[in-house]
Amino acid sequence: MPAWYDTLQNAFTFDNVPLLISAAVTFIIGFLEYIWSFKLIRREGMAPYPVWMHTFYFAHDSSWAVIMLLAGARTGYWFFWVVGIALIVWNLFEVYNIYKVITVERQEIFGDYVKDQVTVRQAVVFIIIQLFAMYMLVNILISFMGPGSIMQWFLFTNMLIASAPGVLWLRRGVTNGTRRGTSLGLGIIILAGTINTFLPGANMWVLSMPQVFATPIFYLTGVVFVAIAGWNLYNLTRLQAVTPTEEYPRPVW
């Protein structure tokens, strides 16, 4: 068994209260980031994340769910089971968002790549191709880093959500001049989650694996990504709030 498993088992114990609190806060924020995506696609007809983030996260979360559940079955260690189940819940969130990409957002997302209106079949083909690519990307990198490298991957996913959505928000802002498809609330949640990820001496990564994460480059990375998340939020404040319409009468704050 890779050494990372032993490190995690030694760290995530019930008497390590600061780590458990930090991990709980981190997971709650992660769930909120996707709950806001639900709210936005239902109430404004647009999700706040680009489609490739949904397919990447689906490949990542399903791959790691299998790895963690198998590790839990081998060891009986509670943390592996909890992480595996949490990842399955995230997978369900991603399935919903991918479904909405196909049924609601397909024209906006794939319209530049087909001559006429995007059909459901075309959208499904695009999604399947992306999923194959993302599964190969995630799993070849896991093979390089080791199946116990879940904390390294969790860090990467948090860095991704701190930075990548802002590009989509800028493009939409130029197109329609409003915050439709995103919200100030989500921007605040993402900024808070990024600060929590890199909070000196109190984040889940340093508390669980200081020999890996308690380094200058980790905290320098934190400064950069907190700044990016803050910049994305600032850009949202410059856009007009969404005006209620008959189709979408309750925009998200």
Side-chain angles (χ1 to χ4, degrees):
M1 181 178 294
W4 298 133
Y5 284 132
D6 296 332
T7 302
L8 293 173
Q9 287 182 268
N10 292 331
F12 283 91
T13 59
F14 289 114
D15 58 353
N16 194 346
V17 177
L19 174 57
L20 297 182
I21 293 173
S22 179
V25 170
T26 302
F27 276 65
I28 289 170
I29 291 174
F31 285 127
L32 287 175
E33 288 167 341
Y34 252 91
I35 289 171
W36 245 252
S37 184
F38 286 4
K39 294 171 64 175
L40 285 159
I41 189 63
R42 289 171 62 89
R43 288 163 54 177
E44 298 185 12
M46 290 182 175
Y49 309 129
V51 61
W52 62 264
M53 282 185 62
H54 296 315
T55 54
F56 171 79
Y57 280 138
F58 183 86
H60 169 276
D61 293 349
S62 59
S63 297
W64 274 109
V66 171
I67 294 171
M68 288 292 99
L69 292 175
L70 288 175
R74 287 195 304 269
T75 64
Y77 182 51
W78 67 270
F79 178 72
F80 298 152
W81 285 107
V82 169
V83 172
I85 293 169
L87 289 165
I88 291 174
V89 174
W90 266 307
N91 262 153
L92 297 176
F93 290 175
E94 290 139 11
V95 167
Y96 179 83
N97 276 271
I98 291 171
Y99 170 76
K100 287 297 186 178
V101 165
I102 294 169
T103 58
V104 177
E105 296 185 280
R106 65 180 183 272
Q107 190 61 40
E108 183 210 4
I109 293 172
F110 302 119
D112 291 339
Y113 310 111
V114 299
K115 290 183 178 180
D116 301 311
Q117 292 292 306
V118 181
T119 66
V120 169
R121 181 177 180 178
Q122 288 171 322
V124 169
V125 170
F126 283 130
I127 293 294
I128 290 173
I129 292 171
Q130 281 197 21
L131 284 171
F132 271 110
M134 294 304 182
Y135 269 113
M136 295 304 99
L137 173 66
V138 167
N139 282 278
I140 195 170
L141 291 176
I142 290 175
S143 74
F144 296 154
M145 298 167 65
S149 57
I150 184 69
M151 297 301 291
Q152 290 90 328
W153 278 92
F154 276 166
L155 177 63
F156 176 68
T157 59
N158 280 13
M159 292 162 60
L160 187 64
I161 206 166
S163 54
V167 178
L168 176 64
W169 302 349
L170 282 174
R171 181 175 65 79
R172 285 178 174 168
V174 169
T175 302
N176 58 43
T178 73
R179 293 195 291 266
R180 184 183 172 197
T182 186
S183 74
L184 290 177
L186 177 61
I188 292 169
I189 290 170
I190 290 176
L191 176 59
T194 310
I195 293 171
N196 175 70
T197 297
F198 295 99
L199 192 64
N203 65 77
M204 179 175 73
W205 289 264
V206 168
L207 290 175
S208 63
M209 299 173 67
Q211 69 274 37
V212 176
F213 297 108
T215 62
I217 189 62
F218 175 84
Y219 288 113
L220 178 60
T221 300
V223 170
V224 171
F225 278 85
V226 168
I228 292 172
W231 176 252
N232 290 339
L233 176 59
Y234 168 72
N235 285 330
L236 288 179
T237 66
R238 300 170 63 191
L239 298 174
Q240 293 181 1
V242 179
T243 302
T245 64
E246 185 175 347
E247 184 179 10
Y248 299 113
R250 296 173 57 236
V252 180
W253 181 81

